Amino acid sequence: MKQSIYLLLALGLVLVSCNSTPEEEKGQSWEAAKKSFMNSCEDSYVRSFKGALTPEVLDMIDLGELDKLAVQQCGCMFEGIKKRYDSPEDAFANGYDQLMEDVEGCEPAEEELDNLFK
């Protein structure tokens, strides 16, 4: 239970940190914006997750599963953004903090968090 609390706290920090530069999305199609967003989000997600955990808890994490969770979470966030906005320009106009507030339903399930442990 204590480990799950650490993971949930880490995920909160991670969701805030998933970003790239909004200028990168100007004039792009959704497909090009997705590539940019996913690359930045996945890197940031994993880096932030690792930085938010103590070394003891991090040693218990399966990094392959963390990578899978990052892909899943970032994909969910992007699809939520895409459904909510007409274009990448509209989506990224207000910045990533607003986007992360707009995205709902992408929190990992307890089972997905449990899968992170070796």
Side-chain angles (χ1 to χ4, degrees):
M1 180 66 173
K2 187 176 181 182
Q3 294 167 341
S4 292
I5 292 171
Y6 283 129
L7 290 177
L8 288 174
L9 290 173
L11 285 173
L13 295 171
V14 167
L15 290 176
V16 171
S17 69
C18 286
N19 64 38
S20 62
T21 307
E23 290 78 31
E24 293 173 6
E25 279 76 18
K26 287 185 180 174
Q28 291 187 355
S29 67
W30 277 116
E31 201 55 41
K34 180 177 183 175
K35 183 177 179 182
S36 174
F37 178 86
M38 291 296 290
N39 287 337
S40 177
C41 181
E42 291 169 23
D43 290 343
S44 181
Y45 192 98
V46 171
R47 186 175 48 253
S48 296
F49 195 96
K50 288 177 179 179
L53 297 175
T54 64
E56 296 81 20
V57 175
L58 188 57
D59 284 342
M60 295 185 293
I61 300 296
D62 180 332
L63 297 180
E65 289 296 321
L66 177 57
D67 288 339
K68 289 179 190 175
L69 184 61
V71 169
Q72 177 185 325
Q73 294 299 113
C74 292
C76 178
M77 287 186 274
F78 184 80
E79 290 303 316
I81 292 166
K82 188 175 172 182
K83 285 179 185 174
R84 187 171 175 97
Y85 295 94
D86 293 329
S87 71
E89 292 82 12
D90 292 343
F92 300 107
N94 294 324
Y96 282 89
D97 290 340
Q98 182 62 47
L99 281 178
M100 292 305 107
E101 288 179 27
D102 291 345
V103 175
E104 296 177 356
C106 290
E107 298 80 19
E110 187 77 25
E111 181 179 313
E112 292 168 322
L113 294 175
D114 289 343
N115 288 341
L116 292 176
F117 292 98
K118 296 178 185 174

